[in-house]
Amino acid sequence: MFIYNTGIHFIPDVSRIRSLEIVFLDIQDNINVKKVGKNTFAGLSQESVRLWLVQNDIEEIENHAFNGTNLHELVLSGNQRLTTLPDLVFHGATGPEVLDISKTQISSLPHHGLDTIKKLIANHAYNLKKLPPLEMFSDLIEANLTYPSHCCAFENWKKQKSTSLHPFCNQTNHFLHGELKPADMTSGHPDYQLNDGLLYDPSDNAFDYYFCVDMHVACYPKPDEFNPCEDIMGYNFLRILMWCISILAIVGNLIVLVILLTSKSKFTVPKFLMCNLSFADFCMGIYLLLIASVDIKTKSQYYNYAIDWQTGAGCHAAGFFTVFASELSVYTLTAITLERWHTITYAMQLERKIRFRHAFVIMISGWIFAFVLALLPIVGVSSYMKVSICLPMDIETLPSQAYIIFILVLNVLAFVAICICYAHIYITVRNPNIVSSHTDTKTAIRMAILIFTNFLCTAPISFFAISASLKVPLITVSNSKILLVLFYPINSCANPFLYAFFTKAFRKDFYNLMSQFGFCKSQAHFFRTETSSSNLSSRNGHYTPGQKNSTGSVYTLVTLNHQS
């Protein structure tokens, strides 16, 4: 029976429709039908019904709407205002075996009646972001869904068909391996005795071994290489490391910021640059902590949270944090290196000294640059939604591909510039006409550590990311997460130590601050005494370059001590 494009406002009485086996009822394109009430199809209780309620602008289906109906197939596709299937919508009905909710706004499936569904179709059902417990789909064989992540729920899930359908199910494996012995030969062929004493003839074709087999659900669309069926952190050791590294980055850089901003000593250009570097690395720690927190929350059930997470504000915020932090950190590291190189190269030319106003303009430019780069994926150039770790890995369009390549090449060039500057600095400090060289070894070690940490952070990620941006991926997304945890945040954790904790000036500020709270008073007194002695020697015209060179200038790696 077909009811197409009429002016009806409700579904008519169909209780008198009869067929030998299947009733096909197609009610379609009736835009005035807004509601399906309870017991609407109760008159079809004796028939196996194929019920199509397609594109009728239905907004509500009440509980018990299909009460007393033997549903074989229920198609609700195209009802774009339909948002809910109530829990008892199939109560009192038999079936359905096929359920189609494509192109609707349905956000959740009912908890009652799913056990009879063999085929679930939910194409373009974008609001259905979370599936009910899988145990409810006890008979499901095929699922055509909207999101690939939902298929991860079924990939490794086996449905054990009920062994209560036949007692021989419990003995199937024993029979197949020849472990059951004949118990009765009176009928001319062997009968086998089961554990409960029953005799069974395996030549009886009435028994269906299908119900004893572990079944996989055929699910579409399949997950792609960007979103494999795994948690955000696919390995437990990565999960542990992520927490450790994020906490270390946050605490270390927060300490540096507090010490620098509360120090009573002069707020110099190096201090200002270090504050910017610490803030950038602090943001990187926030990103890692956010990813780690979501990973714990969604552990073992990420398929149910993937869509909300990757399309939501949380992932966009995480992606913005990591790109902003990463680029601001690289920019500031380069600025610090260039400032050191400039200070050493033009040490005797005070008129060329970098002033605070110069540093301020440089860093404002860096903040704007990093902010714009982090904002572009949000406005459509690449995307943070492509992967669960919210990095801009979308290279489908030419602007997106150019964006990724630009960032990666820029980071490589920054690393090369840092290496060249530090090489020049080392050559300079070895010149006995400029500064004493008895601490050359210590200086060289510090430079090597700085370059090595930058190399570890830059090289692996840049190499694999550039190959992937050229659409020649060398590693999977799962393996790239190892790079994310082990290499990506190295600078954020190491910078507080290399640029602050290991410098004498920072330790002095730290002990002075602690002494105000009653701690580390002896250490603070020692540094104050040493500073006073140094100043007195300077006023008396004494110059001890070796000693001063070992102390380090204010938050810098290489010290130049000279008399003005």
Side-chain angles (χ1 to χ4, degrees):
M1 180 177 179
F2 302 92
I3 305 177
Y4 281 179
N5 195 22
T6 68
I8 61 174
H9 289 73
F10 57 89
I11 297 175
D13 183 7
V14 294
S15 61
R16 296 185 179 182
I17 299 175
R18 291 291 184 268
S19 177
L20 293 177
E21 292 184 1
I22 296 178
V23 168
F24 176 52
L25 180 57
D26 188 353
I27 304 176
Q28 186 171 157
D29 293 321
N30 298 285
I31 61 174
N32 292 323
V33 176
K34 306 292 185 182
K35 180 178 178 180
V36 178
K38 62 176 61 176
N39 302 317
T40 299
F41 303 98
L44 301 177
S45 59
Q46 300 302 315
E47 311 296 341
S48 182
V49 180
R50 294 176 61 203
L51 183 58
W52 287 23
L53 305 176
V54 180
Q55 296 179 348
N56 290 295
D57 210 24
I58 295 173
E59 299 176 359
E60 180 186 1
I61 300 179
E62 292 185 346
N63 282 318
H64 309 285
F66 306 100
N67 182 37
T69 307
N70 186 1
L71 281 175
H72 169 69
E73 180 180 8
L74 176 61
V75 180
L76 299 171
S77 63
N79 293 285
Q80 298 184 9
R81 297 188 181 182
L82 182 60
T83 60
T84 305
L85 284 180
D87 278 344
L88 299 180
V89 67
F90 298 127
H91 191 267
T94 302
E97 296 181 8
V98 178
L99 177 62
D100 187 348
I101 57 170
S102 300
K103 298 181 181 179
T104 66
Q105 298 296 316
I106 291 175
S107 58
S108 63
L109 294 174
H111 285 192
H112 178 83
L114 299 181
D115 55 334
T116 63
I117 296 177
K118 289 182 171 61
K119 183 176 182 179
L120 175 64
I121 305 172
N123 295 317
H124 305 289
Y126 296 107
N127 283 8
L128 185 62
K129 298 178 180 180
K130 191 171 183 179
L131 297 177
L134 302 184
E135 292 75 15
M136 294 185 176
F137 296 102
S138 57
D139 282 351
L140 189 64
I141 297 174
E142 181 181 347
N144 292 282
L145 306 174
T146 303
Y147 300 111
S149 59
H150 285 160
C151 286
C152 293
F154 299 106
E155 181 153 305
N156 297 316
W157 179 65
K158 295 182 178 181
K159 315 187 318 309
Q160 177 66 49
K161 294 293 184 176
S162 175
T163 56
S164 62
L165 293 174
H166 198 286
F168 194 69
C169 283
N170 292 322
Q171 308 296 331
T172 300
N173 289 331
H174 297 292
F175 170 72
L176 294 176
H177 290 88
E179 297 174 10
L180 288 181
K181 304 300 182 183
D184 183 14
M185 294 289 293
T186 58
S187 61
H189 50 268
D191 287 339
Y192 290 83
Q193 185 170 11
L194 307 182
N195 288 340
D196 54 8
L198 295 176
L199 294 179
Y200 175 68
D201 179 2
S203 65
D204 182 3
N205 293 327
F207 180 73
D208 190 350
Y209 288 93
Y210 167 82
F211 293 101
C212 295
V213 178
D214 288 338
M215 297 297 296
H216 289 278
V217 175
C219 187
Y220 308 94
K222 298 292 185 182
D224 58 23
E225 64 275 11
F226 287 100
N227 293 282
C229 292
E230 62 184 21
D231 292 331
I232 295 179
M233 291 290 102
Y235 306 96
N236 285 329
F237 81 92
L238 287 181
R239 188 171 285 119
I240 297 171
L241 281 175
M242 176 74 90
W243 278 98
C244 295
I245 292 173
S246 63
I247 292 173
L248 180 62
I250 291 174
V251 173
N253 287 286
L254 189 60
I255 290 175
V256 172
L257 280 172
V258 171
I259 297 300
L260 293 180
L261 294 176
T262 58
S263 173
K264 294 182 178 180
S265 58
K266 183 180 178 181
F267 195 69
T268 60
V269 169
K271 278 189 176 183
F272 172 70
L273 295 177
M274 266 305 304
C275 283
N276 284 271
L277 180 62
S278 296
F279 180 78
D281 293 337
F282 176 80
C283 289
M284 179 63 73
I286 294 296
Y287 161 75
L288 295 172
L289 184 63
L290 183 57
I291 294 295
S293 301
V294 175
D295 174 62
I296 289 294
K297 178 183 176 182
T298 62
K299 184 181 178 182
S300 300
Q301 282 196 336
Y302 181 67
Y303 59 84
N304 260 339
Y305 297 91
I307 308 307
D308 277 336
W309 165 242
Q310 291 179 218
T311 61
C315 192
H316 282 88
F320 181 89
F321 265 115
T322 187
V323 173
F324 175 80
S326 176
E327 296 313 304
L328 183 60
S329 180
V330 169
Y331 183 94
T332 310
L333 279 173
T334 308
I336 289 174
T337 305
L338 291 173
E339 187 271 336
R340 291 177 179 181
W341 171 81
H342 184 275
T343 300
I344 290 174
T345 303
Y346 303 101
M348 306 305 293
Q349 303 177 37
L350 298 182
E351 71 278 2
R352 302 190 66 171
K353 180 180 179 181
I354 296 179
R355 307 294 179 182
F356 193 87
R357 63 178 182 273
H358 302 146
F360 184 79
V361 172
I362 290 171
M363 289 314 304
I364 285 293
S365 302
W367 276 66
I368 295 174
F369 175 72
F371 182 87
V372 170
L373 285 182
L375 187 64
L376 286 177
I378 297 178
V379 299
V381 180
S382 192
S383 173
Y384 294 129
M385 299 187 296
K386 191 72 171 180
V387 293
S388 60
I389 53 179
C390 306
L391 294 178
M393 290 188 175
D394 186 2
I395 54 172
E396 296 301 319
T397 64
L398 184 59
S400 299
Q401 189 177 18
Y403 167 78
I404 300 298
I405 294 176
F406 172 76
I407 289 179
L408 295 172
V409 171
L410 191 66
N411 291 347
V412 171
L413 293 176
F415 170 72
V416 172
I418 290 172
C419 290
I420 293 174
C421 286
Y422 277 128
H424 188 269
I425 289 172
Y426 181 68
I427 293 172
T428 301
V429 299
R430 283 186 61 87
N431 187 343
N433 296 324
I434 297 178
V435 68
S436 175
S437 60
H438 86 282
T439 57
D440 283 350
T441 301
K442 187 175 182 180
T443 300
I445 291 175
R446 286 190 177 182
M447 289 182 181
I449 292 174
L450 284 171
I451 294 174
F452 181 67
T453 55
N454 274 277
F455 177 79
L456 279 182
C457 184
T458 304
I461 293 177
S462 297
F463 175 73
F464 290 110
I466 289 176
S467 69
S469 65
L470 296 175
K471 299 185 178 180
V472 188
L474 300 178
I475 60 173
T476 64
V477 170
S478 298
N479 292 332
S480 70
K481 294 176 183 178
I482 299 177
L483 294 180
L484 168 72
V485 176
L486 296 184
F487 297 101
Y488 190 53
I490 284 179
N491 276 350
S492 298
C493 296
N495 287 340
F497 294 92
L498 298 176
Y499 290 84
F501 295 157
F502 290 165
T503 65
K504 199 168 186 178
F506 181 86
R507 292 197 297 273
K508 172 189 172 183
D509 289 340
F510 175 78
Y511 289 133
N512 284 337
L513 179 62
M514 291 295 100
S515 67
Q516 297 178 19
F517 298 95
F519 304 101
C520 308
K521 290 184 177 181
S522 59
Q523 291 90 338
H525 177 71
F526 171 78
F527 276 101
R528 284 194 293 269
T529 303
E530 186 180 50
T531 302
S532 299
S533 300
S534 176
N535 292 337
L536 181 60
S537 298
S538 177
R539 287 195 298 271
N540 292 334
H542 299 291
Y543 176 51
T544 55
Q547 179 183 0
K548 289 185 179 182
N549 189 51
S550 65
T551 62
S553 64
V554 182
Y555 307 112
T556 60
L557 177 67
V558 179
T559 304
L560 286 179
N561 297 289
H562 60 274
Q563 290 179 291
S564 57

